[in-house]
Amino acid sequence: MRVEIWSDIACPWCYVGKARFEKALDAFPHRDEVEVVHRSFELDPGRAKGDIQPVITMLTKKYGMSEAQAQAGEENLGTQAAAEGLDYRTRDRDHGNTFDMHRLLHLAKARGRQDELIGLFYKANFAEERTVFGDDGRLVELAVAAGLDADEARAVLADPAAYADDVRADEREAAELGANGVPFFVLDRTYGVSGAQPAEVFAQALTQAWGERPGLTLIQDESAEVCGPDGCAVPQD
């Protein structure tokens, strides 16, 4: 079974939702038969790469809330994250464009290191002091920590076209599926789960999606030769 997760590194509920989903997945009896693929979704696609500002400032401007309201929201998110065992800096975080991180995540997917890299991106953005925005050196460090080649990561960052089409394709597909917010989880292209749901909801979705997978329809000519545990059929003249 395949689970696709549309998310953005700048999305705190994606950070929390990933932890809740993984809690459910770790307890799922068929865990080893579930493939997880991370898909790109930008919350702020129009923001220039060099346009970096404090999260609190972004929240007050985008949503028209006071600084006190924005800070209270961050404190609440910190509590939600802590409940999942996640570190979360409620003050002095930055907000910026995530397009380059999504491009690197597609490189990581091609190299089989996508889950490792997205986990490091989340931790760096939400729990660590050094910003991940506007700092290609920092992104390369995280890519290397995830198991990617430093020169290859630098080459992707230096080429604005590298994996850009893959990011845009993910975003178009999200729109086609009706996802207008993240996190958005799609199980076997049959069930969609929107938001950072409790682990119990994810567990129920996994069980239901697994149980409704189509069975194998066997088309077989009984006279056809086969090999089995006792050997191979030998044609008779």
Side-chain angles (χ1 to χ4, degrees):
M1 184 168 69
R2 169 180 280 201
V3 178
E4 298 162 278
I5 307 173
W6 273 264
S7 59
D8 192 12
I9 307 306
C11 166
W13 287 118
C14 296
Y15 179 47
V16 173
K18 181 176 184 291
R20 291 175 177 173
F21 170 75
E22 288 176 347
K23 185 181 295 184
L25 185 60
D26 286 344
F28 187 56
H30 307 285
R31 168 66 185 91
D32 293 340
E33 298 173 77
V34 178
E35 176 191 12
V36 178
V37 178
H38 297 281
R39 301 291 193 189
S40 299
F41 190 107
E42 294 172 275
L43 291 175
D44 204 353
R47 183 178 290 272
K49 180 175 179 177
D51 184 5
I52 303 165
Q53 62 184 165
V55 167
I56 296 299
T57 302
M58 180 275 293
L59 292 172
T60 58
K61 290 182 176 180
K62 187 172 184 177
Y63 300 107
M65 59 178 64
S66 68
E67 287 192 9
Q69 289 172 320
Q71 187 59 54
E74 284 294 286
E75 298 294 341
N76 176 58
L77 280 163
T79 300
Q80 298 279 347
E84 305 304 328
L86 301 172
D87 292 328
Y88 189 99
R89 295 178 67 236
T90 59
R91 296 179 183 274
D92 302 321
R93 285 195 305 107
D94 287 337
H95 176 78
N97 180 283
T98 58
F99 189 60
D100 282 348
M101 283 183 271
H102 284 294
R103 295 195 300 118
L104 284 175
L105 283 168
H106 276 280
L107 168 65
K109 178 186 175 186
R111 302 294 178 263
R113 308 299 296 175
Q114 192 184 43
D115 195 65
E116 289 81 1
L117 184 57
I118 197 169
L120 289 171
F121 278 165
Y122 278 138
K123 183 180 179 182
N125 183 40
F126 291 107
E128 297 176 359
E129 185 173 349
R130 184 178 172 186
T131 185
V132 293
F133 300 106
D135 186 348
D136 286 357
R138 176 65 167 146
L139 297 186
V140 171
E141 288 178 8
L142 293 169
V144 170
L148 299 179
D149 178 76
D151 289 338
E152 194 170 26
R154 289 192 195 96
V156 168
L157 292 172
D159 178 6
Y163 295 102
D165 288 345
D166 299 88
V167 176
R168 299 306 183 209
D170 278 357
E171 293 173 336
R172 286 194 301 272
E173 197 164 11
E176 291 167 2
L177 290 170
N180 53 17
V182 285
F184 188 70
F185 302 76
V186 176
L187 290 73
D188 254 3
R189 290 299 171 106
T190 303
Y191 291 95
V193 180
S194 180
Q197 301 286 347
E200 294 78 13
V201 173
F202 288 122
Q204 180 181 0
L206 286 166
T207 299
Q208 189 166 347
W210 182 269
E212 295 186 14
R213 297 173 78 218
L216 179 68
T217 299
L218 185 62
I219 300 174
Q220 179 175 307
D221 180 350
E222 295 295 339
S223 65
E225 293 83 2
V226 298
C227 291
D230 298 324
C232 299
V234 179
Q236 302 294 320
D237 293 332

